[in-house]
């Protein structure tokens, strides 16, 4: 059973009913029906991302992540980290106030810097630990290029493997760009020599991410999450059942 019912979604966010239904189909397909998890969204706010804020691509991703979150977490809220050289903002999106929310936040952030993954990862880790959450978290991490410091990003990812956090990276832009080489090699980071479990995945959403269907997006978002859950449970990283995540903004 979903954490938040379709009836409630229709009442508070009718525009998300389609994505919500598609997310439910994908969750069932991947054996995740009834699973409870916190959901985070991390969005790239570096200078090269400006077109994706302007054309609504970032807002569209946020809406669809919120539709997925309604199945996994009963608070109807997704914490959102905007990052560039540092963390530019930590905010939230909610079912009742999702429309145009990303644009309103971004409009007040000012300078768009470089691409430092580690700052955003620290913000998610701190939020998760401070929340007292008992359930795992799915972190949807959007970017249009590799990190400014691969060494720092890899170090953070490997350290975070001991926490119940799965990092699903999404690329915006040219699928053939070498800027995504780091993300394409994520699965090659050695287990267990470098990290206790494989705690990350990557897929590319293309030059116009809005054109990817809800069904395709959710299948890619959830493709590696079940395998990570099984490995994390076996390693004692994820414990207990799948009750409500209880993450509050």
């Amino acid at each position: 059973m979903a954490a938040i019912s379709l009836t409630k979604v229709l009442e508070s966010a009718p525009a998300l009913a389609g994505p919500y239904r598609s997310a439910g189909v994908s969750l069932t397909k991947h054996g995740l029906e009834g699973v409870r998890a916190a959901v985070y969204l991390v969005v790239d706010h570096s200078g090269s991302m400006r077109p994706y804020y302007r054309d609504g691509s970032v807002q569209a991703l946020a809406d669809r992540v919120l539709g997925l979150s309604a199945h996994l977490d009963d608070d109807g809220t997704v914490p959102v980290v905007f990052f560039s050289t540092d963390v530019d903002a930590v905010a939230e999106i909610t079912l009742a106030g999702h429309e145009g929310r990303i644009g309103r936040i971004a409009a007040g952030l000012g300078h768009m810097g470089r691409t430092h993954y580690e700052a955003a990862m620290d913000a998610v880790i701190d939020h998760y630990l401070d929340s007292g959450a008992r359930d795992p978290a799915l972190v949807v991490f959007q970017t249009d290029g590799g990190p400014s410091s691969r060494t720092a990003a890899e170090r953070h990812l490997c350290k975070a493997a001991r926490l119940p956090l799965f990092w699903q990276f999404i690329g915006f832009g040219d699928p053939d760009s070498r800027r995504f080489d780091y993300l394409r090699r994520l699965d090659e980071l050695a287990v267990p020599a470098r990290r206790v479990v494989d705690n990350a995945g990557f897929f590319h959403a293309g030059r116009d991410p809005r054109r990817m269907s809800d069904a395709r997006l959710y299948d890619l978002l959830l493709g590696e999450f079940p395998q990570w859950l099984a490995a994390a449970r076996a390693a004692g990283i994820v414990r207990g059942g799948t009750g409500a995540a209880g993450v509050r903004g």
Side-chain angles (χ1 to χ4, degrees):
M1 180 179 291
I4 296 175
S5 69
L6 175 59
T7 299
K8 185 172 180 180
V9 172
L10 287 169
E11 290 173 352
S12 56
L16 298 184
Y20 174 89
R21 291 188 180 99
S22 292
V25 171
S26 189
L27 285 161
T28 299
K29 182 189 300 186
H30 291 282
L32 295 167
E33 188 174 13
V35 166
R36 295 293 177 262
V39 178
Y40 286 84
L41 175 61
V42 179
V43 291
D44 190 338
H45 189 247
S46 61
S48 55
M49 278 292 299
R50 189 171 285 107
Y52 297 108
Y53 283 92
R54 187 181 302 123
D55 71 9
S57 294
V58 182
Q59 179 68 56
L61 175 62
D63 288 343
R64 295 198 277 185
V65 169
L66 191 56
L68 172 62
S69 176
H71 285 272
L72 299 172
D73 191 352
D74 64 4
D75 70 358
T77 300
V78 173
V80 184
V81 176
F82 293 76
F83 79 98
S84 56
T85 305
D86 206 336
V87 173
D88 296 337
V90 179
E92 62 183 31
I93 52 174
T94 64
L95 289 172
H98 72 97
E99 294 186 40
R101 173 70 170 151
I102 294 297
R104 291 193 298 274
I105 298 169
L109 297 185
H111 179 69
M112 302 175 81
R114 299 180 67 190
T115 312
H116 287 210
Y117 288 8
E118 65 273 14
M121 296 180 76
D122 275 339
V124 171
I125 291 168
D126 288 347
H127 188 289
Y128 180 82
L129 294 176
D130 290 346
S131 75
R134 297 180 181 178
D135 286 321
L138 171 62
V139 184
V140 179
F141 195 116
Q142 179 278 321
T143 183
D144 72 339
S148 297
S149 172
R150 294 185 179 186
T151 300
E154 288 186 12
R155 183 169 61 248
H156 275 66
L157 186 67
C158 292
K159 287 177 64 176
R162 297 187 177 277
L163 295 172
L165 303 170
F166 182 76
W167 306 82
Q168 180 59 63
F169 291 90
I170 303 177
F172 281 14
D174 180 359
D176 298 321
S177 173
R178 295 191 63 184
R179 293 193 300 170
F180 296 105
D181 285 352
Y182 165 76
L183 291 169
R184 293 188 179 100
R185 289 197 295 266
L186 275 179
D187 286 339
E188 298 176 11
L189 290 176
V191 176
R194 295 289 308 280
R195 49 186 177 158
V196 63
V197 292
D198 182 351
N199 61 330
F202 169 67
F203 69 89
H204 205 287
R207 291 182 174 87
D208 187 354
R210 298 167 301 172
R211 299 185 64 182
M212 179 175 284
S213 70
D214 291 342
R216 178 63 173 162
L217 179 72
Y218 290 131
D219 278 348
L220 292 170
L221 277 177
L222 299 171
E224 296 188 45
F225 191 55
Q227 290 77 18
W228 170 79
L229 270 178
R233 287 193 178 110
I237 295 167
V238 172
R239 297 181 175 85
T242 56
V247 174
R248 306 293 171 181

